[in-house]
Each structure stands twice: as structure tokens, then as C-alpha cells.
Amino acid sequence: MKKKFILGFGGLMLTTVLAFGQATIMPAKPQAGPVVITGATIHVGNGKVINNGYIAFDKGKITAIGEGSAPNTAGATLVNASGKQVYPGFICPVTSLGLVEFESIRATDDETETGEMNPHVRSLIAFNTDSKVIPTVRSNGVLLAQPTPQGGTISGQSSVMMLDGWNWEDAAYKKDIAVHLTWPVVRNGRGRRGGFGAGAAGQESPAERAQKAVDAIVSLFSEAKAYAQAKPAVTNARLGSMAGLFNGTKKLFITADGAKEIIQAVNFGKQMGVQVVIVGGKDSYLVTDVLKDNNVPVIIRETQALPDKDEDDVYLPYKLPHLLQEAGVLYGLTGTGFWRQRNLPFEAGQAVGYGLSKEQALSMITLNNAKILGIDKTTGTLETGKDANLFISAGDALDMVTLDVENAYIQGKSISLDNLHKQLYKRYSEKYGVK
């Protein structure tokens, strides 16, 4: 009886998932001909705004941008965007988008691996282009993301993915750009910050355990550096996966929030000769001189949160982008988890109320994120020669009330803006006669 119940329940769950997961949203086809958008307010992404502007793109690349009438529109598809606004596609770094579908169902959660040191794990091949969450995020203008493995001390490698494609090969924008490390933290049991909590009498102290973890990190990186220099005949997948850190083709993203841990992480990067990016950085405003002197950027992880310490200004998370802007530190923004990334533009917009200008807030999730991810040569701003990753909104894209994405393009491809939420809204609007 118990076995029959389990099988029956499993079948019911599968039927439910399938019922709500019908593949009705198709990936876009390659751009078939030139497109010219006219009459729009164009936010370039680098602080410049073009009024009554035009932007043209063909074969996935931006071919012209400027103010006034667009030249050479013969044979092009014209999109009248009068009274509307054009933006670069938003970029979401350090996210589990595409790796998790339902948090409560283990079979749909592919963001972690067993073990503490997994630099060879690649999120790229786990990216699920069929995720029903992805269309809900790109409907708010997020067109590129950096799906990132979680868990352990070294969780693995990440790539930049386009939020449209038949499979991960189609969606890959830039492969294996970073290795992700969580810096060990000593926790005394009274704060909210995670780390190595106090042990029982006779056991290692939290500080000793944290130091042991740091020693293990140093040991692994030293081995990997020696391996990269020696180029042995026998392949070691774990050590080989880290070679890009030492030749500059990969960056080391280190999750660290406290000022002490941030300084330790920066010094570790200098010691190993690798490019470091701080993720989280709640106390980064306290060590901006260290970050600036060492050219270390920060990816702020969510601003809609309480401060880490009880004695901090309750508005500190909202003010953090402005504090880094004033200090001259390169900074970007991500959200928490996967589905909440659709709120990325609104968190950026909220920073306008705490010191940033609107164009600085836009750059935070376009050009700044592109620079940090090493893709600013091809995207992040609307400039001739760059990829046509952009969208048209009827209103201010950083405002929750007015954002209304009407058209979106990834490498010139006109992508579907339909999603499961919209389909359900339409379904039940019809049922109850809502207009």
C-alpha cells in the first residue's frame, strides 16, 4: 500500500509539473534582416542619453545610433518607438537562474556538488534553457546572466549565458570566465554573518578552523599554479581547470562581506597573482582604499535587505552603491537566488533614492556588470559594433510601476516576451471576464 501511494503521488506530481510546463515559448530565430528603431529616448548605458534617437542593427550587431532621422532605412524593418525608451539588456551576475526550477524539489536543483573544493565543476553544462523561470526574468529586461554554482569552499566555474536558446551550447555567450570561492569567516555565534561557529570544549576554536580552511585554499592554489607552469603530461582536471586564473583568462570571484575578510581576499589575490572580484561586500565601503588601489571590483548582492550588523545604519544596503560610486570603486549589482532576479532593475532604481543618478543606476546593471564579467567589448552599452542586446520599454525600466518591455533583442534576435505568468493571467482573465 505504501509503495502504491508513493508511486501514485509521484505520478500526480509529474502530471502537475507537465501540465504547467508545456513548451509553448520558442527560442528566437537568427536576425533575418536589418532593423531600425526610431523616435526613442535611448539610454546608451555609459551615462549618455539620446533624445529622439534611432538605433539600427543587422546580423546581430549595432550598425548605427544617433539623434534624429535614421539614415539608410530602405529594406529595413522599422520599429516606431516614439515616446518610448530603449535600454541595453540588463546583465545579472552570480545567480542560480537556470540551475534551479523549484527550490523544494531536489530533482530540479542543480546548483551544488558534493565536497568543498570543486573548481572543475562547470555550471555551463547544467544550464537549463527550458526553465519556465527564465522567460519571467527576461520579460523585465534581463537578457544575460552568469549562472553560478553554489556550496562548498570552491563551488566551481561560471559562464555568461544568453537567456534564450535551444540548449546550453546555443545560449553560451562567454564560457568559463570565473572560479568561485567563499572566503572562510570566523563566527562568534552572536552575529548574523555565516561562517565557522563555536565548537564544544576541547574541539578546534572557530579561528583555528577558519585558518585551517584558509590554509587548504592556499595549498590548492599553490598546487594549481605550479601545475599551470609545469604543464605536466598527466592531466589533473581539478588543477587544470584553474589554469585560466594564472594567465588572466579567468577571474576569481570571492564571496566576502566583512572588512577583514575582504582585505584577506584581496591580499590572497595579490599573493597568487589572480584577478579578484568581491561578491557581497557588505563592508566594502569601509575598505574602499584597498579595493581601489588593487583595482578590485565589487558585485553587491541585493540592496533590499537589512544591514549585517545591528549597529549599522538601517539604510546602509540602499546607500552602498552610492558610497562605492563616490569612492571610485567599480561596482555591479545582483539579486538573490533565481526568480527574484526579475527585480534587478527595481533594486537598481531604488538606489536612485539613495544617491545615484538614474544613468549611474542603469550602468550598475549594464556597463558595470559587463566590465566585471569581461564582456564590455561586446555588450553593456549601445554602441556601433557591439551586439544588439537591447529592449524597448513603454516607460522607465528602473521603475516597477512603469516598466513595460514591448520588444527585446539578443544579438539582434527578436525574443519572445511571453511567459507562464502572462499565460495564466490571460487564462483567468478570460474565465472571470477581467479586462
Side-chain angles (χ1 to χ4, degrees):
M1 176 65 74
K2 183 176 181 181
K3 183 177 181 181
K4 288 182 179 179
F5 173 78
I6 293 173
L7 290 174
F9 180 76
L12 176 62
M13 288 298 294
L14 178 60
T15 301
T16 302
V17 170
L18 291 175
F20 283 92
Q22 298 303 315
T24 58
I25 302 171
M26 300 294 180
K29 295 179 180 179
Q31 185 176 358
V35 175
V36 180
I37 300 170
T38 62
T41 299
I42 300 175
H43 302 263
V44 177
N46 58 5
K48 183 179 179 181
V49 179
I50 302 173
N51 295 308
N52 187 30
Y54 65 85
I55 182 167
F57 50 95
D58 190 18
K59 298 177 182 177
K61 298 289 184 180
I62 298 172
T63 56
I65 182 171
E67 186 175 358
S69 300
N72 303 320
T73 59
T77 299
L78 297 180
V79 180
N80 184 355
S82 297
K84 299 173 184 177
Q85 305 188 53
V86 174
Y87 295 87
F90 300 146
I91 303 168
C92 179
V94 193
T95 175
S96 56
L97 180 65
L99 303 179
V100 179
E101 194 70 4
F102 302 99
E103 291 173 296
S104 58
I105 301 177
R106 179 65 183 89
T108 71
D109 184 342
D110 200 13
E111 65 173 351
T112 58
E113 286 291 335
T114 302
E116 288 295 316
M117 304 289 190
N118 295 305
H120 55 296
V121 169
R122 303 170 73 205
S123 64
L124 173 73
I125 58 177
F127 183 69
N128 176 22
T129 53
D130 292 327
S131 168
K132 297 304 175 186
V133 180
I134 288 175
T136 70
V137 173
R138 72 186 184 206
S139 292
N140 278 4
V142 180
L143 304 184
L144 296 176
Q146 181 196 15
T148 300
Q150 307 291 321
T153 301
I154 301 178
S155 55
Q157 302 177 66
S158 64
S159 300
V160 180
M161 310 298 286
M162 296 178 283
L163 298 188
D164 185 68
W166 287 102
N167 48 49
W168 65 262
E169 291 98 332
D170 288 344
Y173 192 78
K174 189 172 183 179
K175 298 179 181 178
D176 301 324
I177 64 163
V179 174
H180 295 263
L181 163 66
T182 298
W183 197 258
V185 182
V186 178
R187 185 178 64 185
N188 59 19
R190 291 177 293 180
R192 287 193 290 269
R193 185 169 292 153
F196 293 83
Q203 295 181 351
E204 293 176 322
S205 69
E208 289 172 335
R209 275 183 283 169
Q211 186 58 52
K212 182 179 286 188
V214 170
D215 292 342
I217 293 170
V218 173
S219 176
L220 178 62
F221 272 76
S222 298
E223 289 182 41
K225 190 172 185 178
Y227 178 89
Q229 294 170 344
K231 299 179 180 178
V234 179
T235 300
N236 184 309
R238 178 173 293 183
L239 300 181
S241 66
M242 301 171 67
L245 292 171
F246 307 107
N247 63 24
T249 59
K250 295 179 183 177
K251 296 181 180 181
L252 181 62
F253 282 53
I254 304 180
T255 297
D257 281 320
K260 177 181 177 181
E261 289 75 36
I262 292 172
I263 292 174
Q264 290 174 339
V266 171
N267 289 336
F268 173 74
K270 289 174 62 177
Q271 176 188 345
M272 291 296 165
V274 301
Q275 301 177 64
V276 168
V277 174
I278 296 298
V279 178
K282 292 180 179 179
D283 285 351
S284 56
Y285 70 100
L286 297 175
V287 291
T288 52
D289 54 340
V290 174
L291 295 169
K292 189 174 180 180
D293 290 346
N294 292 280
N295 197 29
V296 174
V298 176
I299 294 179
I300 301 168
R301 191 192 295 276
E302 190 180 37
T303 59
Q304 294 177 343
L306 290 171
D308 198 53
K309 296 185 287 293
D310 293 337
E311 61 270 22
D312 283 341
D313 178 357
V314 71
Y315 297 110
L316 178 59
Y318 303 109
K319 297 176 180 177
L320 185 55
H322 175 64
L323 294 174
L324 296 181
Q325 174 76 32
E326 289 295 293
V329 174
L330 177 61
Y331 63 96
L333 176 68
T334 187
T336 299
F338 58 112
W339 63 267
R340 287 178 63 183
Q341 300 297 353
R342 65 191 182 199
N343 293 330
L344 184 67
F346 311 138
E347 291 202 36
Q350 196 168 37
V352 175
Y354 292 88
L356 291 188
S357 70
K358 281 193 174 183
E359 298 309 313
Q360 287 171 342
L362 173 64
S363 294
M364 178 167 57
I365 57 175
T366 54
L367 179 58
N368 290 10
N369 278 346
K371 286 180 177 179
I372 294 171
L373 298 179
I375 56 175
D376 55 301
K377 300 298 183 184
T378 58
T379 193
T381 55
L382 301 179
E383 299 178 82
T384 301
K386 287 192 173 184
D387 288 342
N389 300 329
L390 56 102
F391 66 90
I392 303 172
S393 174
D396 183 349
L398 302 186
D399 186 334
M400 183 180 293
V401 176
T402 60
L403 170 65
D404 182 8
V405 179
E406 295 184 346
N407 304 77
Y409 305 87
I410 299 178
Q411 292 187 330
K413 298 181 293 184
S414 180
I415 65 171
S416 171
L417 292 172
D418 196 9
N419 61 52
L420 186 58
H421 292 185
K422 291 179 179 179
Q423 292 173 359
L424 291 172
Y425 176 80
K426 183 177 180 180
R427 174 187 175 93
Y428 289 101
S429 293
E430 288 288 334
K431 179 178 180 180
Y432 295 109
V434 177
K435 295 182 181 181

